[in-house]
């Protein structure tokens, strides 16, 4: 049996096809974290992969955030599957069970811990040395403690507490347990690229929790215990931990074995990262079944790399997928869904009666249905309602609008018409305008009444307005003509200087002192007095200060005047 965990940093990591990526691992169980997909955005190609059955947990508060998924080969189909750690999201009869003591957390806190889609639990069966046994796999994406948000630090510690409570409860029920995923805390200084740069490294609450969750300081790698003593130390650990960091079990002194790097600083090129992705397992399972564990830094596509573990046991496949499987989701089962199903709970009787009483499509009324079923025959006309005056006016306005739109569309012409020089329109004088108004009033039948109804002072004002518009337009045309007659050099000089002053490009980058290479421009995005300011740093990827190929400590603010 082979199991893999990988923080994919978005489901779009599978650019070459999800099946091709899953097959490349050649694993029975593949657990991914940070899918960043909600149920409404989950497509069928991602949810249903040929040869696999999948189980998703979605974030219910934010879109494009968090989320985990477990893909199992059809030959390793689990017997039970559950979303979340609290049991509040599981249906009765479908859950793994064994929730432990959750008294210290309120119901609101428990619901909030499962609301971000951070855990999926699958339970499998395998044949071990002692006969048939159960194996429970807990796929988790632990929260990150944002230093600027103190409430997230408390949220993270509560999630750790809930995870330990659930894992130990399942272990006490007789099942073997594997806890794997992105834990978001590096355990030991050997798991960090620069632990001396971290204030109070050992006092970090996350590391203290790992000391308590694992058997930590009593580990064989540090105390030199023999293989016979190892299992006894696990079960009687002074720290009370019941789980093992399987990677350190096989590689106790390997340094620079990191699984996460910063993509903003290019730290993966210099291997300047941390190890925060783990495969934890109970002591008995590690000793009896684990063959090997390692990381896969050569696999790209995310800011994390996968971690795999090989076990000597063979999983038994269930004959049917648990209800949590994506194959059972209504949107992927081929049943047509109605909009009303997403808003109200419809019983079977009501659904059957509604289906039988459905009318013709298009929401036709009775009159339209009769007219469609019995078309009008010659000599058998149906009386139609005469349109009112208001309806006539509305129809006339619609006709005018359609004609106007047609003329406007025809007037646009080809694209070249936009680049031709504008022609000066001929402005009719006041005498011609009054003459045209007189001619039009004589030609139109209803114009006499319209002209007589208008007072004389209104006509005089309109003529004066037209005369003013004439004068303004002529002034504008004269101004344009004088500007056109000016030489091009006179116009281009001040215009070029103006645009250079307004749209100045980025400042010239200085050379860093260590490598004598052009620096890169950065912008402060952290809230504070320097928010929005720009600065120059060395363009090389981030790395340890002792690495000459890494970024040097050059730093320079960009002056606002430049």
């Amino acid at each position: 049996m082979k199991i893999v965990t990988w923080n994919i940093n978005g489901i779009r990591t599978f650019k070459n096809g999800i099946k091709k990526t899953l097959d490349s691992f050649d694993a029975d169980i593949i657990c991914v974290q940070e899918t960043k997909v909600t149920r409404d955005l989950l497509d069928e190609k991602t949810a249903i992969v040929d040869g696999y059955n999948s189980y998703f947990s979605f974030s219910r508060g934010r879109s494009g955030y968090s989320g985990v998924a477990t893909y199992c080969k059809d030959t390793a189909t689990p017997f039970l599957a559950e979303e979340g750690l609290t049991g509040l999201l599981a249906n009765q009869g479908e859950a793994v069970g064994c929730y432990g003591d959750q008294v210290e957390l309120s119901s609101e806190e428990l619901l909030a811990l499962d609301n971000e889609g951070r855990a999926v639990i699958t339970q499998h069966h395998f044949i071990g040395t002692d006969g048939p046994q159960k194996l429970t796999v807990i796929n988790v994406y632990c929260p990150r403690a944002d230093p600027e948000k103190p409430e997230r630090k408390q949220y993270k510690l509560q999630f750790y507490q809930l995870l330990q409570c659930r894992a130990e409860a399942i272990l006490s029920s007789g099942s073997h347990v594997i806890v794997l995923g992105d834990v978001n805390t590096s355990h030991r200084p050997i798991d960090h690229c620069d632990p001396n740069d971290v204030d109070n490294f050992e006092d970090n609450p996350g590391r203290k929790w790992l000391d308590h969750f694992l058997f930590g300081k009593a580990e064989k790698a540090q105390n030199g215990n023999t293989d016979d003593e190892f299992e006894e130390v696990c079960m009687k650990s002074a720290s009370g931990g019941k789980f093992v960091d399987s990677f350190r079990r096989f590689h106790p002194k390997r340094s620079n074995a990191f699984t996460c790097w910063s993509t903003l600083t290019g730290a993966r090129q210099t291997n300047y990262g941390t190890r925060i992705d783990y495969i934890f397992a109970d002591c008995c399972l590690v000793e009896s079944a684990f063959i090997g564990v390692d990381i896969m830094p050569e696999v790209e596509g995310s800011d994390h790399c996968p971690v795999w573990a090989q076990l000597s046991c063979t999983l038994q496949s269930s004959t049917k997928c648990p209800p949590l499987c994506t194959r059972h989701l209504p949107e992927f089962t081929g049943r047509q869904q109605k909009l009303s199903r997403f808003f109200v709970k419809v019983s079977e009787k009501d659904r059957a009666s509604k289906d039988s009483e459905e009318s013709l499509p298009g929401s036709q009324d009775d009159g339209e249905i009769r007219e469609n079923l019995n078309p009008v025959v010659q000599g058998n006309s149906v009386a139609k309602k005469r349109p009112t005056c208001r309806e006539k006016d509305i129809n006339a306005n619609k006709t005018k609008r359609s004609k106007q739109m047609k003329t406007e569309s025809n007037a646009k012409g080809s694209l070249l018409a936009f680049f031709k020089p504008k022609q000066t329109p001929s402005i009719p004088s006041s005498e011609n305008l009054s003459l045209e108004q007189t001619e039009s009033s004589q030609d139109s039948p209803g114009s006499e009444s319209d002209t007589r109804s208008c007072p004389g002072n209104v006509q005089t004002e309109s003529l004066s307005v037209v005369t003013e518009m004439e004068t303004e337009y002529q002034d504008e045309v004269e101004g344009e003509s004088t500007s056109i007659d000016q030489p091009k050099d006179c116009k281009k000089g001040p215009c070029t200087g103006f645009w250079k002053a307004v749209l100045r490009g980025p400042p010239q980058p200085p050379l860093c002192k260590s490598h004598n290479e052009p620096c890169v421009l950065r912008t402060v995005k952290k809230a504070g007095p320097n928010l929005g300011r720009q600065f120059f740093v060395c363009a090389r990827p981030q790395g340890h200060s002792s690495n000459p190929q890494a970024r040097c400590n050059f730093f320079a603010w960009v002056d606002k005047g430049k």
Side-chain angles (χ1 to χ4, degrees):
M1 168 194 166
K2 185 179 181 182
I3 188 169
V4 173
T5 177
W6 187 21
N7 182 318
I8 57 176
N9 193 20
I11 205 73
R12 294 183 180 88
T13 299
F14 302 122
K15 296 179 180 178
N16 300 326
I18 187 169
K19 177 173 173 53
K20 185 177 180 181
T21 305
L22 295 178
D23 290 343
S24 65
F25 291 122
D26 191 25
D28 300 283
I29 303 173
I30 303 169
C31 301
V32 295
Q33 300 87 38
E34 206 172 356
T35 59
K36 296 182 179 180
V37 64
T38 49
R39 179 170 173 176
D40 58 329
L41 299 177
L42 182 66
D43 60 339
E44 189 170 355
K45 293 181 179 179
T46 306
I48 302 177
V49 183
D50 186 28
Y52 297 85
N53 48 90
S54 59
Y55 308 87
F56 278 75
S57 179
F58 308 100
S59 173
R60 287 161 170 79
R62 294 169 55 183
S63 180
Y65 176 73
S66 189
V68 298
T70 299
Y71 288 88
C72 302
K73 276 188 176 180
D74 289 341
T75 55
T77 303
F79 286 78
L80 293 173
E82 181 182 339
E83 180 184 6
L85 297 173
T86 63
L88 299 177
L89 304 179
N91 297 325
Q92 294 183 354
E94 304 171 1
V96 177
C98 306
Y99 300 101
D101 187 10
Q102 301 176 354
V103 180
E104 297 182 8
L105 298 172
S106 64
S107 57
E108 291 81 7
E109 291 174 336
L110 291 173
L111 188 60
L113 290 171
D114 266 352
N115 204 36
E116 295 184 357
R118 294 185 175 274
V120 165
I121 304 176
T122 55
Q123 192 169 85
H124 308 260
H125 293 181
F126 70 96
I127 303 297
T129 55
D130 299 333
Q133 300 182 44
K134 293 181 181 180
L135 172 63
T136 304
V137 178
I138 305 178
N139 176 15
V140 293
Y141 173 46
C142 297
R144 172 182 171 269
D146 192 340
E148 300 179 359
K149 298 179 180 179
E151 68 277 5
R152 294 300 294 179
K153 179 180 179 181
Q154 181 65 21
Y155 183 88
K156 179 177 182 177
L157 295 178
Q158 288 178 346
F159 190 89
Y160 282 158
Q161 179 185 356
L162 179 64
L163 174 61
Q164 181 175 1
C165 177
R166 186 72 191 274
E168 291 179 352
I170 296 175
L171 183 64
S172 300
S173 68
S175 172
H176 290 289
V177 177
I178 293 178
V179 180
L180 76 173
D182 181 0
V183 181
N184 254 321
T185 298
S186 55
H187 188 202
R188 299 292 183 204
I190 195 175
D191 301 320
H192 198 283
C193 58
D194 198 357
N196 297 327
D197 195 38
V198 181
D199 296 335
N200 302 321
F201 186 88
E202 296 289 345
D203 295 334
N204 182 278
R207 295 183 178 94
K208 287 186 175 181
W209 172 80
L210 281 172
D211 288 339
H212 184 67
F213 181 69
L214 305 175
F215 55 87
K217 297 178 181 178
E219 190 171 358
K220 170 192 171 183
Q222 296 185 6
N223 290 349
N225 296 322
T226 62
D227 290 338
D228 297 334
E229 298 171 344
F230 179 74
E231 184 175 350
E232 183 179 356
V233 170
C234 293
M235 301 308 294
K236 299 180 180 179
S237 173
S239 61
K242 299 179 181 179
F243 293 90
V244 180
D245 181 357
S246 60
F247 178 83
R248 285 299 172 205
R249 175 69 179 89
F250 288 89
H251 311 283
K253 298 181 180 180
R254 186 198 288 186
S255 60
N256 299 322
F258 305 133
T259 62
C260 180
W261 306 265
S262 172
T263 55
L264 297 176
T265 59
R268 192 165 189 170
Q269 301 178 35
T270 55
N271 193 25
Y272 192 73
T274 55
R275 190 175 74 94
I276 60 176
D277 301 87
Y278 302 90
I279 298 180
F280 301 138
D282 63 273
C283 300
C284 297
L285 183 66
V286 171
E287 281 304 296
S288 61
F290 270 67
I291 299 174
V293 183
D294 212 339
I295 61 176
M296 304 173 69
E298 70 279 2
V299 178
E300 298 182 350
S302 171
D303 56 342
H304 293 246
C305 78
V307 184
W308 61 266
Q310 191 87 29
L311 285 76
S312 60
C313 57
T314 302
L315 293 176
Q316 291 181 324
S317 178
S318 175
T319 56
K320 61 179 182 179
C321 298
L324 185 63
C325 181
T326 52
R327 295 179 183 177
H328 300 313
L329 293 178
E331 53 264 39
F332 302 131
T333 54
R335 296 195 301 266
Q336 185 176 1
Q337 299 297 302
K338 296 181 181 179
L339 191 62
S340 59
R341 287 179 61 90
F342 295 93
F343 298 98
V344 295
K345 188 173 181 181
V346 184
S347 62
E348 295 294 334
K349 295 181 180 180
D350 295 340
R351 191 182 298 114
S353 61
K354 284 184 179 180
D355 293 339
S356 61
E357 294 175 1
E358 282 184 351
S359 58
L360 292 176
S363 300
Q364 297 171 320
D365 53 25
D366 296 338
E368 290 175 331
I369 295 174
R370 285 196 301 269
E371 195 169 347
N372 289 336
L373 295 177
N374 300 315
V376 178
V377 191
Q378 187 175 0
N380 225 357
S381 61
V382 179
K384 294 185 178 179
K385 186 179 179 182
R386 296 183 66 182
T388 61
C389 296
R390 180 176 177 80
E391 291 176 350
K392 286 182 179 180
D393 295 339
I394 294 173
N395 294 333
N397 291 334
K398 288 182 179 178
T399 307
K400 287 181 181 178
R401 285 195 203 117
S402 62
K403 287 182 179 180
Q404 186 178 358
M405 291 175 64
K406 287 182 180 178
T407 54
E408 287 177 359
S409 62
N410 294 335
K412 287 182 180 178
S414 63
L415 187 63
L416 297 175
F418 292 94
F419 300 97
K420 291 181 179 180
K422 295 182 179 180
Q423 298 180 357
T424 304
S426 59
I427 302 300
S429 61
S430 58
E431 297 178 0
N432 296 336
L433 183 63
S434 60
L435 182 60
E436 289 176 2
Q437 289 177 348
T438 308
E439 290 176 356
S440 61
S441 63
Q442 291 175 359
D443 294 338
S444 59
S447 60
E448 292 184 4
S449 59
D450 298 338
T451 309
R452 289 169 187 166
S453 62
C454 296
N457 57 350
V458 174
Q459 297 181 7
T460 307
E461 289 178 3
S462 63
L463 289 174
S464 63
V465 170
V466 172
T467 307
E468 291 177 3
M469 292 174 63
E470 266 185 61
T471 308
E472 292 176 4
Y473 184 82
Q474 288 177 359
D475 294 340
E476 290 178 4
V477 173
E478 289 175 2
E480 289 179 3
S481 63
T482 55
S483 64
I484 292 172
D485 295 337
Q486 293 177 357
K488 294 182 178 179
D489 296 337
C490 298
K491 184 180 179 182
K492 186 177 288 187
C495 185
T496 306
F498 169 76
W499 287 115
K500 282 185 176 180
V502 175
L503 300 176
R504 59 178 182 271
Q508 288 293 328
L511 301 180
C512 66
K513 297 180 180 179
S514 299
H515 309 105
N516 200 28
E517 296 175 352
C519 294
V520 63
L521 184 65
R522 303 290 187 194
T523 304
V524 178
K525 297 183 178 179
K526 186 177 180 181
N530 294 322
L531 178 64
R533 290 191 65 183
Q534 293 182 320
F535 59 92
F536 284 105
V537 292
C538 179
R540 294 203 175 189
Q542 186 181 11
H544 199 273
S545 57
S546 61
N547 186 357
Q549 302 300 323
R551 174 189 299 175
C552 63
N553 59 354
F554 179 85
F555 178 89
W557 287 109
V558 176
D559 295 335
K560 295 183 179 180
K562 294 185 179 179

